[in-house]
Amino acid sequence: MKKKKRKWIKWIVLAILVAGIAVWLGVVSQKTQSAVYTEEPVTTGDLTTYYNFDGLVKAPLRQTLTAAETDTVRTVYVQQNQQVDQGTRLYRTENGTTVEADMAGEVTGLYIEEGSVVSAGDKTVEIMDLSRLTVELDVDEYDIAAVTPGTEAEITVLALGDTFTGTVTALDKNGTASGDLSYYTATLDLPQSEGVYPGMQVSAKVLRDHAENATLIKMDAIQFDEYNMPYVYMRASDGKDVVQVPVTVGVNDGIYCQITDGLRAGETILKPSSVSVAQLLQQMRDAGR
């Protein structure tokens, strides 16, 4: 009888141990899954993307005067930064030649003074019409379709932080090769503004895509299978297993991505965590100690 009793006690102890191990493994499994994946909500919102370009402010209307021959400047009638009209006298040489402005604008360069000697071809005066400035953007060959004449762009003058709306007025289709790409010049009008001068650097953005009331998830939650098809991880209906759910992606801005099929707002997806299972088990062992 004593032997039978001991035998039953052994079986009971063994059953308790097995049950305890099973429970422990279940806890480890749940903690492992929750640590390997981070929950991310599926949200709704508007998503807008842009083409981005760099460029410079230009003064397309300018006159650069040069000396016709070697001579001495007798009289200078204007000063640097003076506003002049078409026909205004600029300077007179010893041989009796009077040079006039061919356009209205500002004297932005005065390279002579009374008594100075100039040689043929020397630059003497530069005039610019600063009331009519433009922006020239560098556009690579892959984005050229975004800057057709009539397209609006948001232009920011970097030095000032001021932003204006401009319209593409011309596209120079004679590209210039640089490295592996060819670049083209798009010209935009620029509203007159105080403190904006030729040569200032600008950035510009042109509307690319816009999605209203879109289903959105973070880009880093999207995975790709061996056929490069996108999917996300989600909890199965039992709340334990993790399954792959195919999705169809739309517009993205590098941070968020539009999902056009496969998910609904309010659902929760799983993003793979950077913590490995081995690291998790080690953390649990350390915590147990």
Side-chain angles (χ1 to χ4, degrees), residues 138-158:
D138 292 326
V139 182
D140 72 48
E141 56 192 290
Y142 291 100
D143 295 336
I144 195 169
V147 289
T148 55
T151 302
E152 285 193 350
E154 187 176 290
I155 305 166
T156 300
V157 181
L158 300 183

Side-chain angles (χ1 to χ4, degrees), residues 10-165:
K10 288 181 180 180
W11 280 110
I12 292 172
V13 171
L14 182 60
I16 293 173
L17 287 173
V18 170
I21 291 172
V23 171
W24 183 82
L25 287 175
V27 171
V28 169
S29 176
Q30 287 183 345
K31 289 186 176 180
T32 300
Q33 287 196 16
S34 63
V36 173
Y37 297 97
T38 302
E39 292 187 347
E40 293 284 348
V42 181
T43 60
T44 301
D46 296 342
L47 193 62
T48 304
T49 62
Y50 298 91
Y51 294 95
N52 294 288
F53 306 104
D54 297 319
L56 295 172
V57 177
K58 298 284 187 175
L61 299 179
R62 65 168 64 195
Q63 179 187 12
T64 301
L65 297 166
T66 59
E69 58 185 359
T70 300
D71 204 344
T72 300
V73 177
R74 177 178 179 181
T75 308
V76 177
Y77 300 108
V78 295
Q79 297 178 341
Q80 180 79 17
N81 302 124
Q82 178 180 330
Q83 292 289 333
V84 296
D85 296 321
Q86 183 178 4
T88 298
R89 292 187 304 171
L90 302 175
Y91 64 93
R92 181 181 177 86
T93 62
E94 289 288 356
N95 70 2
T97 301
T98 299
V99 178
E100 299 178 347
D102 291 336
M103 59 171 282
E106 180 178 322
V107 177
T108 54
L110 186 61
Y111 310 106
I112 54 174
E113 59 184 14
E114 293 180 358
S116 60
V117 177
V118 294
S119 300
D122 285 353
K123 187 188 297 186
T124 56
V125 180
E126 184 176 65
I127 300 170
M128 291 186 187
D129 183 355
L130 299 181
S131 66
R132 297 179 61 184
L133 299 178
T134 61
V135 167
E136 291 186 359
L137 301 179
D138 292 326
V139 182
D140 72 48
E141 56 192 290
Y142 291 100
D143 295 336
I144 195 169
V147 289
T148 55
T151 302
E152 285 193 350
E154 187 176 290
I155 305 166
T156 300
V157 181
L158 300 183
L160 305 178
D162 294 339
T163 299
F164 310 91
T165 299

Side-chain angles (χ1 to χ4, degrees), residues 209-231:
D209 291 302
H210 179 69
E212 275 189 41
N213 199 31
T215 300
L216 303 176
I217 63 172
K218 287 188 176 180
M219 284 285 295
D220 57 5
I222 299 176
Q223 311 298 315
F224 293 90
D225 62 19
E226 63 271 25
Y227 302 105
N228 205 33
M229 300 301 292
Y231 67 89

